[in-house]
Amino acid sequence: MDDNILRILEKEKNNVSRAKIAHMLGISDAEVDAEIKKLEDNNIIVGYKTLINWDKTDREVVTALIELRVTPQRGEGFDKIAERIYKYPQVTSLYLMSGAYDLAVTIEGRTMKEVALFVAQKLAPMDDIISTATHFVLKKYKEEGIVFEDDEKDTRQVITL
């Protein structure tokens, strides 16, 4: 049952009520509430998020993806470095990666200069960081499975007999 609830929550995001989940699974609302509470208590469900298309608002937001090559700390690996980085409020996501770089950081700021200064003043000077590569997001088409603007037009031609 946990797996089914998790799949529904992941697919439907915040657009599904607990009563609808109960109906979909053929169980009671109380059972759904108890299962979700258990999943939250066990830190399986770690939060709920509203996804906003900031391009449709007056708020200016600049998003950047930063590749970091780092030297892992003896006995700590990448965890201590990651902990120092994810504590900054500008950091919206942080991933340990395989491949050409070690950590992928997503940050948000009001301007490109603000983002650049964050990288130059906060990230690059850290002892364990070997190099950084900053990529600015120019437009978001899809995030977390949600398409921001779906302008698909029906391009089929009308056939008359």
Side-chain angles (χ1 to χ4, degrees), residues 1-154:
M1 183 167 32
D2 289 356
D3 192 50
N4 290 330
I5 290 173
L6 291 172
R7 287 173 194 241
I8 292 168
L9 289 172
E10 184 178 47
K11 183 176 184 245
E12 299 295 330
K13 309 290 184 212
N14 291 335
N15 299 326
V16 63
S17 68
R18 292 182 181 197
K20 185 173 180 181
I21 294 171
H23 178 74
M24 292 168 76
L25 298 177
I27 59 177
S28 71
D29 292 8
E31 287 175 293
V32 171
D33 288 340
E35 288 296 318
I36 289 176
K37 172 95 170 80
K38 182 178 81 174
L39 292 165
E40 291 169 345
D41 290 346
N42 290 329
N43 213 26
I44 295 169
I45 295 176
V46 294
Y48 300 90
K49 181 179 176 181
T50 300
L51 194 57
I52 299 169
N53 184 352
W54 290 109
D55 291 342
K56 299 269 186 180
T57 70
D58 293 335
R59 181 176 174 219
E60 292 293 323
V61 177
V62 175
T63 303
L65 307 173
I66 303 154
E67 301 171 2
L68 300 177
R69 289 186 57 228
V70 302
T71 303
Q73 296 179 346
R74 171 174 267 140
E76 301 291 335
F78 296 99
D79 294 343
K80 283 288 184 194
I81 301 163
E83 184 178 349
R84 286 178 53 202
I85 295 169
Y86 69 62
K87 287 186 176 182
Y88 286 107
Q90 296 91 331
V91 175
T92 59
S93 63
L94 176 61
Y95 304 100
L96 179 61
M97 305 296 291
S98 65
Y101 55 95
D102 303 304
L103 296 173
V105 184
T106 306
I107 68 169
E108 289 183 349
R110 286 177 290 143
T111 64
M112 292 176 87
K113 182 177 181 178
E114 184 178 288
V115 169
L117 287 173
F118 174 80
V119 173
Q121 295 174 352
K122 302 294 185 191
L123 295 180
M126 288 184 181
D127 291 337
D128 302 312
I129 295 186
I130 298 168
S131 68
T132 67
T134 302
H135 308 275
F136 288 98
V137 175
L138 302 178
K139 182 176 181 177
K140 291 182 183 178
Y141 294 99
K142 184 176 183 178
E143 187 173 349
E144 295 187 29
I146 304 294
V147 175
F148 277 78
E149 292 187 37
D150 192 7
D151 290 339
E152 286 187 32
K153 295 190 172 52
D154 189 353

